[in-house]
Amino acid sequence: MMFNAQAIVRKSINNATTQFDKLGYVANDLANYNNYGYKSVRFEQMLREDGYVAGAQRCDCAQGAVRITENPYDVAIKGPGYIPVTSEDGEVQYTRDGSFVKGKDGYLYTKDGWLVGGGIQLPANNYKFTINPNGNVYTYDEAGSAPKLVGTIPLVGFANPERLEQGVNNKMRVTDESGDPELISDHRSFRQHSIEASNVNIYASVNEMLRLNASMIASMRLLKVADDMYNKGINIRE
């Protein structure tokens, strides 16, 4: 049987690179474990007929645990969907991190300054505000006063949410494969005084990182063996 060192080296480099990419996604999941509403990434691998390993990245849209808080600005999404938020430059991305804050101008923002929805402004001296399950935001001037509707937090869905890609600070970007956002109406998905945890399985992620590390070490050793045999072959010819 003919020994093809170059082919082994090429395949080993390809496979090691794919494993390294997957290791990066697993490490990113672990780094975002404590970020609210974060969706982990699945890196699916397959062995092609030519012996090379190929991989594809997908967003894991599984629901994270919903935790009750005492903060009225915290909003969790129960079920599918994302909240559109807008940067100061007008860029729109999508998030499930509902740990919102009230800005100086009274509008609801994400913690890093992205405007929630199309802009929901709370009066400066309101007694309290409530967020209904359908996203309607009501304010009360004083105890016992009638509620006033000041805006609605929108909820959007995608035809293929698994193909969304990671955006800025725990947000998601639209891709050609994900499809355009579509407004979800007649839902009851929002939970005020609640927050969604990330859906990262920390134990499975640590185990996967250890497995990938061992696989990469094995690939590097194979490369070293192929390199030694290739050098010996050159020396014999000389």
Side-chain angles (χ1 to χ4, degrees):
M1 181 182 295
M2 182 178 293
F3 176 75
N4 192 333
Q6 290 183 340
I8 291 178
V9 169
R10 285 196 299 269
K11 290 180 181 179
S12 297
I13 291 175
N14 170 263
N15 296 347
T17 301
T18 302
Q19 296 285 57
F20 186 79
D21 288 341
K22 185 173 183 179
L23 183 65
Y25 288 117
V26 174
N28 186 65
D29 283 347
L30 288 171
N32 286 280
Y33 173 70
N34 289 318
N35 285 341
Y36 299 131
Y38 174 81
K39 297 304 177 189
S40 60
V41 175
R42 297 199 315 269
F43 192 82
E44 301 172 348
Q45 294 175 269
M46 61 180 179
L47 182 64
R48 301 189 326 216
E49 293 181 357
D50 57 5
Y52 289 89
V53 174
Q57 173 194 351
R58 296 183 184 276
C59 175
D60 184 353
C61 300
Q63 175 80 47
V66 175
R67 302 171 181 171
I68 298 175
T69 72
E70 297 181 355
N71 188 348
Y73 293 95
D74 285 344
V75 181
I77 302 173
K78 188 69 173 178
Y82 289 83
I83 299 171
V85 292
T86 307
S87 70
E88 292 183 354
D89 298 329
E91 181 182 4
V92 179
Q93 293 189 19
Y94 304 88
T95 187
R96 288 180 67 94
D97 180 359
S99 55
F100 300 138
V101 296
K102 180 181 177 181
K104 293 181 179 180
D105 52 6
Y107 285 94
L108 289 179
Y109 290 93
T110 63
K111 287 186 175 180
D112 57 348
W114 290 54
L115 185 68
V116 176
I120 300 170
Q121 189 176 31
L122 303 177
N125 298 316
N126 68 90
Y127 170 69
K128 70 173 184 177
F129 72 96
T130 60
I131 301 173
N132 283 11
N134 65 357
N136 287 343
V137 181
Y138 294 93
T139 61
Y140 298 80
D141 293 334
E142 57 186 21
S145 64
K148 295 180 180 179
L149 178 65
V150 295
T152 301
I153 300 176
L155 184 68
V156 300
F158 298 88
N160 190 8
E162 290 187 348
R163 300 304 292 173
L164 292 169
E165 67 177 15
Q166 294 289 338
V168 178
N169 294 337
N170 198 19
K171 301 176 186 67
M172 306 299 288
R173 289 194 185 98
V174 173
T175 65
D176 292 337
E177 293 82 6
S178 69
D180 293 328
E182 296 183 1
L183 185 66
I184 301 175
S185 58
D186 299 326
H187 69 85
R188 298 186 64 80
S189 301
F190 290 119
R191 303 290 186 271
Q192 190 181 16
H193 294 281
S194 300
I195 201 74
E196 181 187 6
S198 73
N199 67 352
V200 176
N201 185 325
I202 191 169
Y203 301 106
S205 296
V206 170
N207 181 66
E208 182 70 0
M209 178 170 283
L210 294 174
R211 188 191 68 80
L212 287 169
N213 185 62
S215 177
M216 291 178 62
I217 291 174
S219 296
M220 294 301 103
R221 287 176 177 172
L222 180 59
L223 281 172
K224 180 64 169 58
V225 171
D227 183 62
D228 290 342
M229 296 185 71
Y230 188 69
N231 288 331
K232 288 179 181 179
I234 294 175
N235 293 333
I236 289 174
R237 291 179 182 177
E238 293 177 351

